[in-house]
Amino acid sequence: MRYFPLFMDIQDEPVLVVGGGAVAERKVVLLRKAGARVQLVAKTLNPALLTAVDGSRVEWIAREFRPAQLDGPRLVFAATDDAELNARVHAEAEARRLPVNVVDDREHCRFITPAIVDRDPVQVAISSAGASPVLARRIRGWIEALLPQGLGKVAAAAGRLRDRAARLPLPERRRAWDRLLDRGQVHALGALPAKDIERRLKKGLDQAARKPLPGKVVLVGAGPGRADLLTLRALQALGQADVILHDRLVSPEILDLARRDADFIDVGKRCGGHATRQESIHELMVEHASQGRQVVRLKGGDPFVFGRGGEELEHLRAHGIDYEVVPGVTAAIGCAAFAGIPLTHRDHAHAVTLITGHTPEGGREPDWQALAGEGRTLAVYMGAQRAAELKGKLLESGLPADLPVALVADGTRDTQTTLHGHLDQLPDLAARAPRGAPALLVIGEVAAVGRQLAWFEGSGQVNDLPVASARAA
Ligand code: SAH
């Protein structure tokens, strides 16, 4: 990060502006809005600046720049068309360690001014650290469109109710605000007159004080890894969480989207060696929700597909804890999409089965013969470690050795690797997959379609094994 972002209180503070043209004028307009006392140094002032000069807020202190004018101001702007003069202002200010900005001259700026979206008292400041002012302005346009016009009024009303809200204990206060100020509410409130906004917010706070909201667990599917595959509801829940219990498969870029001051607890279960026992996860959820917290239980993919989400809800239900489930893109759907493998296809498959390759000790083997075969696709989770065994079982149940298969490791992530081959090569595929990366197997005719339709280039390669046995024509 090249620049440190901050907002500065310059109410009633002197700020020196050297220059009297349009560029200086734009700075003066903004400085006046922020309540600064502007001191102008310029040979001449343009008409707008001349009318702005009122002797108190905007003062024309001199025609010539002198270093002594720098004793007093909090900030200095040099906005003349005289490069030599600008450089001199810069040098003198720097010598005094006084923050200086030479407008449109990044090399001579101790501080830079952002593009802003103004919904006073809400200010959104955007900077590209000078890399692309055009881009920063574009971003400003996008954010403008995103924020409701009445946002400032709502923020101001919330500000006037701070003392009232302070009567609520902290976690409840935050929760009440979270609920009162969610996106839909802010849009609706923003359209009302200021005093109605305040009345409604006050009512909401009083209700929260009378009847505190109980804690809740939101079981959230984080999808296969890419942050932009999260649902909007997942994003919202992450933004409101007090505690986040997350799996190992959830990527850091997704955790980055969660509320910064939430407690993050890694309950990372590893396939095989369980880092946190399932029972401890159950206990953690109940413990935090009972204390009135919003708990997000964040799982890779979808919580109800090989995610033990069902067991977790049963436990919550038994303990009378409220819950909600937010679906996520499950690995099979995500990997298939990003490997260009349509799981069903009019010419190749009319059914798809999501199945785990990891059967519990002493668990019953699935009926492979019923699940796999002509016109059917198998998407196997946790199957790579058992590839040899899986191959044996599938061949036994009558599948051809040259049936197309694909292995997608780190699916949807930038590190995605796709390996193509045939059923009898399944163990080779698994052996060539990047170590430690989650991998999904797709078994069936459709796997071969991915060779043509692949569109996503992960850093891992798309890899074809030589065809070991020709397909019987
Ligand atoms: N609930 C998850 C599945 C958890 S089981 C879901 O709906 O996706 C963990 C298995 O999911 C892994 O062993 C792997 O087979 C698969 N998996 C999860 N993320 C994956 C990814 N990004 N790429 C490939 N496979 C993935």
Side-chain angles (χ1 to χ4, degrees):
M1 206 195 270
R2 163 88 195 263
Y3 294 94
F4 182 76
L6 59 80
F7 289 93
M8 184 173 181
D9 181 0
I10 52 166
Q11 281 287 325
D12 292 324
E13 294 293 328
V15 173
L16 189 73
V17 176
V18 183
V23 180
E25 182 195 329
R26 279 199 294 278
K27 295 298 168 201
V28 172
V29 169
L30 210 58
L31 287 165
R32 285 181 69 180
K33 267 197 187 174
R37 288 195 293 111
V38 180
Q39 302 176 337
L40 283 167
V41 173
K43 283 208 171 57
T44 54
L45 297 184
N46 75 8
L49 282 174
L50 260 182
T51 27
V53 172
D54 62 2
S56 63
R57 288 274 143 211
V58 183
E59 203 183 345
W60 189 2
I61 60 163
R63 287 173 193 273
E64 294 293 335
F65 170 70
R66 309 221 184 296
Q69 290 156 356
L70 297 172
D71 299 328
R74 294 282 199 170
L75 298 173
V76 188
F77 288 92
T80 75
D81 49 15
D82 176 348
E84 190 267 329
L85 173 57
N86 286 347
R88 202 146 54 82
V89 175
H90 172 260
E92 295 288 349
E94 278 289 298
R96 287 167 176 73
R97 310 191 77 76
L98 182 62
V100 57
N101 175 292
V102 177
V103 180
D104 292 332
D105 179 1
R106 182 160 61 132
E107 294 316 306
H108 290 109
C109 283
R110 176 55 56 184
F111 67 94
I112 55 175
T113 52
I116 56 175
V117 180
D118 182 9
R119 296 282 195 282
D120 190 47
V122 175
Q123 304 286 346
V124 183
I126 303 143
S127 153
S128 63
S132 172
V134 173
L135 181 63
R137 276 196 296 277
R138 294 293 296 271
I139 297 171
R140 176 177 60 190
W142 300 333
I143 296 177
E144 277 286 358
L146 210 65
L147 299 183
Q149 280 306 325
L151 180 63
K153 280 191 293 178
V154 178
R160 289 192 295 273
L161 291 169
R162 279 182 66 127
D163 288 344
R164 196 178 196 90
R167 295 182 212 156
L168 288 168
L170 187 61
E172 273 152 42
R173 187 192 320 162
R174 204 170 47 211
R175 213 132 14 89
W177 279 133
D178 263 342
R179 204 168 31 92
L180 292 167
L181 298 176
D182 80 13
R183 192 170 162 76
Q185 296 273 18
V186 172
H187 267 274
L189 286 171
L192 301 174
K195 68 175 192 326
D196 291 344
I197 300 175
E198 191 166 335
R199 218 186 40 232
R200 293 229 191 156
L201 290 177
K202 201 185 286 173
K203 202 167 129 200
L205 286 174
D206 292 348
Q207 264 168 5
R210 277 197 304 277
K211 193 167 153 284
L213 279 174
K216 178 177 173 183
V217 176
V218 190
L219 197 58
V220 176
R226 292 189 80 78
D228 56 8
L229 291 179
L230 281 175
T231 62
L232 290 177
R233 179 63 195 128
L235 197 61
Q236 211 172 39
L238 284 171
Q240 295 176 350
D242 296 311
V243 186
I244 296 170
L245 306 175
H246 63 90
D247 282 354
R248 185 185 56 108
L249 277 182
V250 175
S251 63
E253 56 171 318
I254 287 175
L255 295 178
D256 264 355
L257 295 172
R259 224 183 89 209
R260 303 241 161 222
D261 49 353
D263 289 331
F264 292 80
I265 306 178
D266 179 359
V267 293
K269 285 187 299 176
R270 277 142 236 272
C271 194
H274 291 216
T276 306
R277 287 186 12 264
Q278 187 65 33
E279 298 84 77
S280 328
I281 297 176
H282 290 175
E283 283 159 22
L284 278 171
M285 290 192 300
V286 171
E287 180 192 321
H288 288 288
S290 309
Q291 291 164 9
R293 295 199 160 114
Q294 292 294 305
V295 180
V296 162
R297 171 72 180 106
L298 190 61
K299 292 169 166 294
D302 181 88
F304 279 179
V305 180
F306 308 123
R308 303 188 77 168
E311 290 160 61
E312 293 179 4
L313 292 199
E314 279 156 14
H315 190 81
L316 294 173
R317 190 162 192 91
H319 286 77
I321 306 276
D322 279 351
Y323 55 75
E324 175 187 333
V325 183
V326 181
V329 174
T330 190
I333 304 294
C335 291
F338 276 67
I341 300 174
L343 291 173
T344 68
H345 189 295
R346 281 170 66 98
D347 300 334
H348 306 292
H350 54 259
V352 53
T353 301
L354 309 189
I355 189 162
T356 168
H358 177 86
T359 28
E361 294 278 317
R364 215 153 47 93
E365 264 300 322
D367 180 355
W368 294 107
Q369 197 148 17
L371 295 173
E374 188 79 28
R376 279 163 288 170
T377 305
L378 273 185
V380 188
Y381 291 67
M382 296 170 276
Q385 297 94 329
R386 283 185 67 213
E389 220 177 316
L390 210 60
K391 165 185 159 183
K393 297 240 179 335
L394 291 171
L395 288 176
E396 249 170 56
S397 65
L399 291 190
D402 61 353
L403 184 68
V405 300
L407 179 153
V408 186
D410 262 346
T412 79
R413 303 179 185 211
D414 292 340
T415 46
Q416 171 172 309
T417 305
T418 309
L419 303 169
H420 283 283
H422 293 100
L423 180 54
D424 57 358
Q425 298 166 325
L426 205 55
D428 311 295
L429 255 56
R432 296 168 55 145
R435 290 188 143 265
L440 185 101
L441 306 175
V442 181
I443 300 172
E445 300 254 0
V446 292
V449 179
R451 291 181 196 249
Q452 271 86 53
L453 298 187
W455 57 272
F456 176 71
E457 288 186 28
S459 59
Q461 71 283 43
V462 175
N463 219 324
D464 285 330
L465 282 182
V467 181
S469 47
R471 185 118 218 232

